Amino acid sequence: MSDSPARHLALQGASNFRDLGGYPTTDGRTTRWRHIFRSNHLGLLTADDVEIVRALGVRSAFDFRGVEERAAGVCVVSEITVHSLPIEPSVVAALRSELARGTLTAPVALELMRESYRNYVRHNTNSFRNLFGHLLEDRAPLVIHCTAGKDRTGFASALILHALGVADEIIAEDYLLTNRHYKRDATAATDLPEDVRNAIGSVEASYLAAAFEAIGREYGDLETYLRDGLKLGATERTALKERYLES
């Protein structure tokens, strides 16, 4: 039986709250437990949830939500300092435009999801760059989140694990854990067809792959993106590993 900490913390108000610790890296180390968490937003935590998060020692949150999203779900843990790294959501508005034109199908929804991931690279690299700047300065434990903790947060988590030297297949497994743990808001986007809501309420490998394909087109390869897009040179990569890997 493993004596490792739980990866998924079953909070009542944040179903997708997970630890990025315990993953092996290519240099034989592992990511540190209880340093970096990923989650959906922290505006619906119960009193018991708040006590769990406090016990974890989380003091910083990096929030990828847009302006209206943040206003609708303010972090309820008073000790946490929230740093906004806004990426405005676009998929639901695009889906409703397709619906109005009579052209909305599940395949269209899937492609809009993939396009949103490509746009993380094309238009939102600055937010991810700022995240890494914070990771190199802020003290862990910390949490990274958006509204659902699956797309903006999923791409950010994949970048972190890549920068730390975690293998691609493990990164993909972590990304897909959302489908096991995330409890969707049944009242959200009820004007959209059920198959479309399923497409936008879960994750699939092709979404993350679309982001990395965009990295290839825009930067040539992932290492160049880390260096030139995210400003993670050799010194920064070493510092990141010293902070977030077991020695």
Side-chain angles (χ1 to χ4, degrees), residues 180-193:
R180 182 185 306 174
H181 299 300
Y182 176 55
K183 293 181 175 63
R184 287 187 284 167
D185 179 357
T187 66
T190 54
D191 56 319
L192 299 175

PDB file of all heavy atoms in Angstrom, residues 180-193:
ATOM      1  N   ARG A 180     -12.202  12.175 -14.361  1.00  0.00           N
ATOM      2  CA  ARG A 180     -12.567  11.313 -13.233  1.00  0.00           C
ATOM      3  C   ARG A 180     -13.150  12.116 -12.079  1.00  0.00           C
ATOM      4  O   ARG A 180     -14.070  11.659 -11.388  1.00  0.00           O
ATOM      5  CB  ARG A 180     -11.338  10.535 -12.754  1.00  0.00           C
ATOM      6  CG  ARG A 180     -11.626   9.572 -11.610  1.00  0.00           C
ATOM      7  CD  ARG A 180     -10.358   8.911 -11.092  1.00  0.00           C
ATOM      8  NE  ARG A 180      -9.587   8.262 -12.148  1.00  0.00           N
ATOM      9  CZ  ARG A 180      -8.388   7.721 -11.961  1.00  0.00           C
ATOM     10  NH1 ARG A 180      -7.818   7.772 -10.751  1.00  0.00           N
ATOM     11  NH2 ARG A 180      -7.752   7.153 -12.952  1.00  0.00           N
ATOM     12  N   HIS A 181     -12.636  13.323 -11.867  1.00  0.00           N
ATOM     13  CA  HIS A 181     -12.948  14.028 -10.629  1.00  0.00           C
ATOM     14  C   HIS A 181     -13.867  15.238 -10.765  1.00  0.00           C
ATOM     15  O   HIS A 181     -14.607  15.551  -9.832  1.00  0.00           O
ATOM     16  CB  HIS A 181     -11.644  14.492  -9.965  1.00  0.00           C
ATOM     17  CG  HIS A 181     -10.733  13.376  -9.595  1.00  0.00           C
ATOM     18  ND1 HIS A 181     -11.094  12.373  -8.714  1.00  0.00           N
ATOM     19  CD2 HIS A 181      -9.461  13.081  -9.987  1.00  0.00           C
ATOM     20  CE1 HIS A 181     -10.085  11.516  -8.578  1.00  0.00           C
ATOM     21  NE2 HIS A 181      -9.090  11.922  -9.347  1.00  0.00           N
ATOM     22  N   TYR A 182     -13.831  15.928 -11.890  1.00  0.00           N
ATOM     23  CA  TYR A 182     -14.562  17.183 -11.992  1.00  0.00           C
ATOM     24  C   TYR A 182     -16.073  16.956 -12.062  1.00  0.00           C
ATOM     25  O   TYR A 182     -16.560  16.188 -12.887  1.00  0.00           O
ATOM     26  CB  TYR A 182     -14.100  17.958 -13.234  1.00  0.00           C
ATOM     27  CG  TYR A 182     -14.868  19.237 -13.473  1.00  0.00           C
ATOM     28  CD1 TYR A 182     -14.969  20.213 -12.478  1.00  0.00           C
ATOM     29  CD2 TYR A 182     -15.493  19.470 -14.695  1.00  0.00           C
ATOM     30  CE1 TYR A 182     -15.674  21.380 -12.684  1.00  0.00           C
ATOM     31  CE2 TYR A 182     -16.205  20.646 -14.916  1.00  0.00           C
ATOM     32  CZ  TYR A 182     -16.293  21.592 -13.917  1.00  0.00           C
ATOM     33  OH  TYR A 182     -16.999  22.743 -14.132  1.00  0.00           O
ATOM     34  N   LYS A 183     -16.806  17.632 -11.179  1.00  0.00           N
ATOM     35  CA  LYS A 183     -18.264  17.578 -11.183  1.00  0.00           C
ATOM     36  C   LYS A 183     -18.776  18.853 -11.857  1.00  0.00           C
ATOM     37  O   LYS A 183     -18.630  19.948 -11.341  1.00  0.00           O
ATOM     38  CB  LYS A 183     -18.803  17.462  -9.760  1.00  0.00           C
ATOM     39  CG  LYS A 183     -18.453  16.144  -9.085  1.00  0.00           C
ATOM     40  CD  LYS A 183     -19.048  16.081  -7.689  1.00  0.00           C
ATOM     41  CE  LYS A 183     -18.813  14.728  -7.044  1.00  0.00           C
ATOM     42  NZ  LYS A 183     -17.388  14.431  -6.844  1.00  0.00           N
ATOM     43  N   ARG A 184     -19.376  18.675 -13.011  1.00  0.00           N
ATOM     44  CA  ARG A 184     -19.838  19.817 -13.791  1.00  0.00           C
ATOM     45  C   ARG A 184     -21.027  20.517 -13.139  1.00  0.00           C
ATOM     46  O   ARG A 184     -21.823  19.891 -12.445  1.00  0.00           O
ATOM     47  CB  ARG A 184     -20.224  19.378 -15.199  1.00  0.00           C
ATOM     48  CG  ARG A 184     -19.048  19.038 -16.068  1.00  0.00           C
ATOM     49  CD  ARG A 184     -19.513  18.781 -17.487  1.00  0.00           C
ATOM     50  NE  ARG A 184     -20.145  17.475 -17.631  1.00  0.00           N
ATOM     51  CZ  ARG A 184     -20.851  17.099 -18.686  1.00  0.00           C
ATOM     52  NH1 ARG A 184     -21.041  17.936 -19.678  1.00  0.00           N
ATOM     53  NH2 ARG A 184     -21.364  15.903 -18.755  1.00  0.00           N
ATOM     54  N   ASP A 185     -21.136  21.806 -13.424  1.00  0.00           N
ATOM     55  CA  ASP A 185     -22.279  22.596 -12.984  1.00  0.00           C
ATOM     56  C   ASP A 185     -23.457  22.279 -13.903  1.00  0.00           C
ATOM     57  O   ASP A 185     -23.465  22.639 -15.086  1.00  0.00           O
ATOM     58  CB  ASP A 185     -21.924  24.087 -13.057  1.00  0.00           C
ATOM     59  CG  ASP A 185     -23.077  24.978 -12.624  1.00  0.00           C
ATOM     60  OD1 ASP A 185     -24.167  24.464 -12.319  1.00  0.00           O
ATOM     61  OD2 ASP A 185     -22.879  26.212 -12.598  1.00  0.00           O
ATOM     62  N   ALA A 186     -24.445  21.599 -13.364  1.00  0.00           N
ATOM     63  CA  ALA A 186     -25.577  21.150 -14.181  1.00  0.00           C
ATOM     64  C   ALA A 186     -26.422  22.310 -14.690  1.00  0.00           C
ATOM     65  O   ALA A 186     -27.228  22.140 -15.611  1.00  0.00           O
ATOM     66  CB  ALA A 186     -26.450  20.194 -13.369  1.00  0.00           C
ATOM     67  N   THR A 187     -26.260  23.494 -14.096  1.00  0.00           N
ATOM     68  CA  THR A 187     -27.076  24.646 -14.504  1.00  0.00           C
ATOM     69  C   THR A 187     -26.376  25.511 -15.551  1.00  0.00           C
ATOM     70  O   THR A 187     -26.956  26.493 -16.021  1.00  0.00           O
ATOM     71  CB  THR A 187     -27.406  25.523 -13.285  1.00  0.00           C
ATOM     72  OG1 THR A 187     -26.192  26.121 -12.774  1.00  0.00           O
ATOM     73  CG2 THR A 187     -28.044  24.692 -12.178  1.00  0.00           C
ATOM     74  N   ALA A 188     -25.153  25.160 -15.935  1.00  0.00           N
ATOM     75  CA  ALA A 188     -24.384  26.000 -16.854  1.00  0.00           C
ATOM     76  C   ALA A 188     -24.720  25.681 -18.308  1.00  0.00           C
ATOM     77  O   ALA A 188     -24.833  24.518 -18.692  1.00  0.00           O
ATOM     78  CB  ALA A 188     -22.895  25.810 -16.616  1.00  0.00           C
ATOM     79  N   ALA A 189     -24.878  26.731 -19.111  1.00  0.00           N
ATOM     80  CA  ALA A 189     -25.059  26.617 -20.569  1.00  0.00           C
ATOM     81  C   ALA A 189     -26.154  25.621 -20.936  1.00  0.00           C
ATOM     82  O   ALA A 189     -26.008  24.824 -21.867  1.00  0.00           O
ATOM     83  CB  ALA A 189     -23.735  26.232 -21.235  1.00  0.00           C
ATOM     84  N   THR A 190     -27.270  25.685 -20.238  1.00  0.00           N
ATOM     85  CA  THR A 190     -28.359  24.736 -20.491  1.00  0.00           C
ATOM     86  C   THR A 190     -29.055  24.982 -21.832  1.00  0.00           C
ATOM     87  O   THR A 190     -29.862  24.150 -22.267  1.00  0.00           O
ATOM     88  CB  THR A 190     -29.394  24.787 -19.356  1.00  0.00           C
ATOM     89  OG1 THR A 190     -29.824  26.146 -19.178  1.00  0.00           O
ATOM     90  CG2 THR A 190     -28.803  24.264 -18.052  1.00  0.00           C
ATOM     91  N   ASP A 191     -28.739  26.103 -22.480  1.00  0.00           N
ATOM     92  CA  ASP A 191     -29.307  26.366 -23.805  1.00  0.00           C
ATOM     93  C   ASP A 191     -28.601  25.577 -24.901  1.00  0.00           C
ATOM     94  O   ASP A 191     -29.075  25.534 -26.044  1.00  0.00           O
ATOM     95  CB  ASP A 191     -29.232  27.862 -24.128  1.00  0.00           C
ATOM     96  CG  ASP A 191     -27.813  28.410 -24.040  1.00  0.00           C
ATOM     97  OD1 ASP A 191     -27.080  28.031 -23.093  1.00  0.00           O
ATOM     98  OD2 ASP A 191     -27.437  29.231 -24.900  1.00  0.00           O
ATOM     99  N   LEU A 192     -27.481  24.953 -24.573  1.00  0.00           N
ATOM    100  CA  LEU A 192     -26.720  24.196 -25.562  1.00  0.00           C
ATOM    101  C   LEU A 192     -27.124  22.718 -25.535  1.00  0.00           C
ATOM    102  O   LEU A 192     -27.492  22.190 -24.480  1.00  0.00           O
ATOM    103  CB  LEU A 192     -25.225  24.328 -25.285  1.00  0.00           C
ATOM    104  CG  LEU A 192     -24.650  25.746 -25.348  1.00  0.00           C
ATOM    105  CD1 LEU A 192     -23.180  25.745 -24.940  1.00  0.00           C
ATOM    106  CD2 LEU A 192     -24.819  26.346 -26.741  1.00  0.00           C
ATOM    107  N   PRO A 193     -27.014  22.021 -26.665  1.00  0.00           N
ATOM    108  CA  PRO A 193     -27.350  20.591 -26.692  1.00  0.00           C
ATOM    109  C   PRO A 193     -26.462  19.784 -25.748  1.00  0.00           C
ATOM    110  O   PRO A 193     -25.314  20.151 -25.469  1.00  0.00           O
ATOM    111  CB  PRO A 193     -27.092  20.207 -28.157  1.00  0.00           C
ATOM    112  CG  PRO A 193     -27.167  21.484 -28.918  1.00  0.00           C
ATOM    113  CD  PRO A 193     -26.663  22.550 -27.990  1.00  0.00           C
TER     114      PRO A 193
END
